[in-house]
Amino acid sequence: MAGEVPNPYKSAVGRALGTVRGQATSASSALDGAKKAFAAGAWTGGTSDAFSADLTGRAGTAKAGADACVTELETIYNKEPDKVEPDAWQIHWHNL
């Protein structure tokens, strides 16, 4: 297709994917140490069971949120064309 240029929006989203994947991995594993400590019996009795259950729930929520962010960005990237017309919104996306 004559006249089309590389899509800078798709390029920017693609560059961001690496960063987002790394941050998602960090978010997904942020509470692993605390979960392991509970599994090893670091705190028992009293409100420890309720705290452990809450910790497990929050860890699941963090992982689900992180995974959703990666999936959303991958979806955006995959839907974008490699090339666009010079007057396309993707050329000036950072000014929108």
Side-chain angles (χ1 to χ4, degrees):
M1 294 181 171
E4 289 189 334
V5 296
N7 182 344
Y9 177 69
K10 182 173 186 167
S11 294
V13 171
R15 287 189 305 273
L17 265 170
T19 300
V20 169
R21 285 181 181 127
Q23 290 173 345
T25 298
S26 295
S28 293
S29 61
L31 299 175
D32 286 353
K35 287 177 12 183
K36 286 178 186 175
F38 267 93
W43 180 21
T44 59
T47 59
S48 66
D49 288 343
F51 187 88
S52 179
D54 187 53
L55 176 65
T56 300
R58 289 178 189 270
T61 299
K63 181 174 181 359
D67 291 346
C69 287
V70 171
T71 299
E72 180 69 18
L73 204 56
E74 287 173 341
T75 299
I76 291 168
Y77 180 82
N78 291 329
K79 286 183 178 180
E80 280 298 312
D82 292 332
K83 293 192 173 200
V84 296
E85 293 295 328
D87 61 348
W89 70 265
Q90 291 94 332
I91 299 296
H92 306 287
W93 67 272
H94 57 290
N95 293 329
L96 297 177

